[in-house]
Amino acid sequence: LHWSFRGKLVTLLLSFAVLGATAYCFMVIPKGFFPTEDTGFLNASTEASEETSFEQMVKYQQQVAAIVSKNKYVEASQSSVGGGGGGGGGSNTGRVMMRLVDREHRPHAEVIVQQLRRELAAVPGVNTFVSLPPSIRIGGMQSKSLYQFTLQDTDLKNLYEWTPKVEARMAQIPGLQDVTSDLRISSPQITVDIDRDKARAMGVQAADIENTLYNAYGQRQVTTIFTASNQYYVILEVLPQYQRDPVALSKLYVRSNLPPRPDGTPTLVPLDAVARLRPDVSPVSVAHYGQLPAVTVSFNTAPGVSLGQAVDRIEEAMREIALPATITTTFVGTAQAFQESMKNTWILLGVAILVIYLVLGVLYESYIHPITILSGLPSAALGALLTLMIFGVDLNIYAIVGILLLIGIVKKNAIMMIDFALEAQRNEAKAPADAIFQGALLRFRPIMMTTLAAMFGTLPIALGMGAGADARRPLGLAVVGGLIVSQLVTLYLTPVVYIYMEQMQNKMKSWRDKRRHSKAVPPVVVEPEPAHR
């Protein structure tokens, strides 16, 4: 402390260096939102090509489920095929839900995700997207990956042309995994072009053709069979062997409105006699976001890559490919909430510091000493950020909460010393340097006690002990690291700042007194006596 008093200017310059280092760390640290939490569950979405039939997709899904069930870290799994696959669903999608074994018998869930991703990539004909479900899902839409990036345009042709380019560019970005989109514009279909003249001549209407197709392939329920203990739905459809090949459509017959045959049977007309069957491709559905057509590209982040880094790289990639002006892009769901939270973080920290300044200003009846107390906050933030960077943890919501906690914990060091120094100046008429020096010595023990109590109370959270510790660990690391660095800095920095602030306050007081005195005592003006005639 004597050394810091002898080199007060060096100590003050060191405080500005700490402030600059804190600002730099805030800019370069990877930023995230909600940390991934190992809840013991994993999700996997499967997707085959759009022309894949339901029966073929079942076979693919069985291969995926077999690989998942053989994994020694998977305790149980559930597999399904159909509309629950996310990202639009359909008969070519599926989903697998997994429950892992107890945490003490397996590695972290992220390690298992990477392991399953490599194993399932060997299944031909189907893409599998494995992800760790978030503890909190915010907005967005259901997709095969956690984060979504949406493109919108009023021109569908332009939107469908550029979406594959965007998806291909995002797949090349380092740190992104499981890049896929909900663009489904190549779904094979058979277009039935009705020849109205022929159909009218043969007594066939368009509604008759629609009913015939629905009876053959729509699984129409025609009746219900009731028994003593159960009931059975009777479904009308053609045999499975006639559902696999579009050629079988030519074997369908439509009931005509013409008079029945001599034997009483109704008149039937072949479908290809009144209609032309034309193969085609078309979108499965046209998705919208708000009022405009939209396509969503979803993605996951690789281990060690924060959401903030992924967002910055995607925005840079979009500037490189020069999207048309009519296409608007936006992050939705968790990625959108992350962007908004980063904008509001600075406002939150600024408001917190402003409120503390006002409270301390009222408490000490001074504009100066609240700044002295707050001078130790940059060192606390620097310690928190450096600790997060050393342990490879991004700046997320929990870490920001830890930094806010540090504001309340760290400022009590300066409050203890300044309270004693002000009391010694008023009652014992001590000089500011002597008063703050004695206050730093006498308050050293309670300062250390409170700091160590807070640090050891947060240490189990920083070490990641207990269930759900993955989410809380950034908070503990921020508090412990901030306390260690701020404790080393504020014990020497705060007394020096106090001396400089006292000198500034005395100079301001002297300047105000001189100005008040000059206004209170007006200059004496002697007027000459009037001349007598």
Side-chain angles (χ1 to χ4, degrees), residues 171-294:
Q172 298 173 357
I173 297 176
L176 298 190
Q177 294 179 337
D178 301 334
V179 178
T180 182
S181 71
D182 61 356
L183 181 63
R184 302 292 176 263
I185 58 175
S186 301
S187 177
Q189 68 177 17
I190 300 296
T191 301
V192 181
D193 293 329
I194 303 175
D195 190 331
R196 301 284 179 168
D197 296 333
K198 288 185 178 180
R200 189 182 303 108
M202 295 183 181
V204 177
Q205 298 179 359
D208 299 328
I209 299 177
E210 293 177 3
N211 289 329
T212 301
L213 293 174
Y214 187 68
N215 290 336
Y217 305 105
Q219 297 184 344
R220 184 192 296 274
Q221 179 185 345
V222 293
T223 187
T224 304
I225 299 175
F226 295 94
T227 64
S229 60
N230 210 338
Q231 61 184 19
Y232 302 91
Y233 300 114
V234 179
I235 305 299
L236 176 64
E237 63 178 359
V238 298
L239 294 176
Q241 59 265 30
Y242 299 112
Q243 299 181 14
R244 300 190 181 100
D245 194 347
V247 178
L249 283 169
S250 60
K251 299 181 180 181
L252 284 179
Y253 284 80
V254 183
R255 178 174 291 187
S256 172
N257 296 327
L258 296 176
R261 295 179 179 179
D263 58 357
T265 58
T267 302
L268 300 178
V269 178
L271 178 61
D272 55 0
V274 296
R276 183 169 63 90
L277 307 178
R278 175 169 51 87
D280 196 4
V281 293
S282 68
V284 176
S285 61
V286 179
H288 287 73
Y289 183 72
Q291 299 296 326
L292 297 179

Side-chain angles (χ1 to χ4, degrees), residues 39-316:
T39 59
F41 292 90
L42 295 179
N43 290 335
S45 298
T46 57
E47 180 185 26
S49 59
E50 297 176 47
E51 64 270 12
T52 304
S53 63
F54 180 81
E55 290 79 7
Q56 183 62 39
M57 187 62 199
V58 170
K59 296 179 182 179
Y60 289 149
Q61 193 75 7
Q62 289 173 347
Q63 297 180 43
V64 172
I67 294 177
V68 169
S69 60
K70 290 180 182 178
N71 192 290
K72 62 181 180 180
Y73 301 125
V74 178
E75 184 178 19
S77 63
Q78 179 182 354
S79 176
S80 62
V81 176
S91 61
N92 64 323
T93 60
R95 182 174 291 275
V96 181
M97 292 179 287
M98 294 161 271
R99 186 176 76 245
L100 306 179
V101 298
D102 293 339
R103 180 69 184 270
E104 57 268 17
H105 303 301
R106 60 172 175 83
H108 194 274
E110 283 285 357
V111 179
I112 304 175
V113 167
Q114 300 302 322
Q115 178 184 351
L116 287 173
R117 181 179 282 114
R118 293 190 297 268
E119 295 175 353
L120 295 173
V123 180
V126 63
N127 296 323
T128 306
F129 309 94
V130 186
S131 62
L132 183 63
S135 54
I136 300 176
R137 182 178 292 274
I138 300 176
M141 58 197 71
Q142 189 180 21
S143 60
K144 300 176 183 66
S145 304
L146 296 179
Y147 310 111
Q148 296 91 31
F149 180 69
T150 296
L151 294 84
Q152 293 178 282
D153 196 344
T154 55
D155 186 357
L156 282 176
K157 182 180 179 181
N158 197 33
L159 181 64
Y160 293 162
E161 177 185 353
W162 278 90
T163 297
K165 299 178 183 179
V166 171
E167 184 178 353
R169 181 63 183 88
M170 289 178 60
Q172 298 173 357
I173 297 176
L176 298 190
Q177 294 179 337
D178 301 334
V179 178
T180 182
S181 71
D182 61 356
L183 181 63
R184 302 292 176 263
I185 58 175
S186 301
S187 177
Q189 68 177 17
I190 300 296
T191 301
V192 181
D193 293 329
I194 303 175
D195 190 331
R196 301 284 179 168
D197 296 333
K198 288 185 178 180
R200 189 182 303 108
M202 295 183 181
V204 177
Q205 298 179 359
D208 299 328
I209 299 177
E210 293 177 3
N211 289 329
T212 301
L213 293 174
Y214 187 68
N215 290 336
Y217 305 105
Q219 297 184 344
R220 184 192 296 274
Q221 179 185 345
V222 293
T223 187
T224 304
I225 299 175
F226 295 94
T227 64
S229 60
N230 210 338
Q231 61 184 19
Y232 302 91
Y233 300 114
V234 179
I235 305 299
L236 176 64
E237 63 178 359
V238 298
L239 294 176
Q241 59 265 30
Y242 299 112
Q243 299 181 14
R244 300 190 181 100
D245 194 347
V247 178
L249 283 169
S250 60
K251 299 181 180 181
L252 284 179
Y253 284 80
V254 183
R255 178 174 291 187
S256 172
N257 296 327
L258 296 176
R261 295 179 179 179
D263 58 357
T265 58
T267 302
L268 300 178
V269 178
L271 178 61
D272 55 0
V274 296
R276 183 169 63 90
L277 307 178
R278 175 169 51 87
D280 196 4
V281 293
S282 68
V284 176
S285 61
V286 179
H288 287 73
Y289 183 72
Q291 299 296 326
L292 297 179
V295 177
T296 299
V297 181
S298 57
F299 63 94
N300 287 329
T301 56
V305 178
S306 67
L307 180 57
Q309 292 173 328
V311 169
D312 293 339
R313 293 172 186 176
I314 291 174
E315 291 178 343
E316 182 180 357

Side-chain angles (χ1 to χ4, degrees), residues 419-443:
D419 276 343
F420 184 91
L422 291 177
E423 193 71 17
Q425 285 184 249
R426 293 167 183 168
N427 298 335
E428 302 177 18
K430 287 189 175 183
D434 297 333
I436 193 63
F437 184 85
Q438 187 178 2
L441 294 180
L442 295 180
R443 295 298 174 94

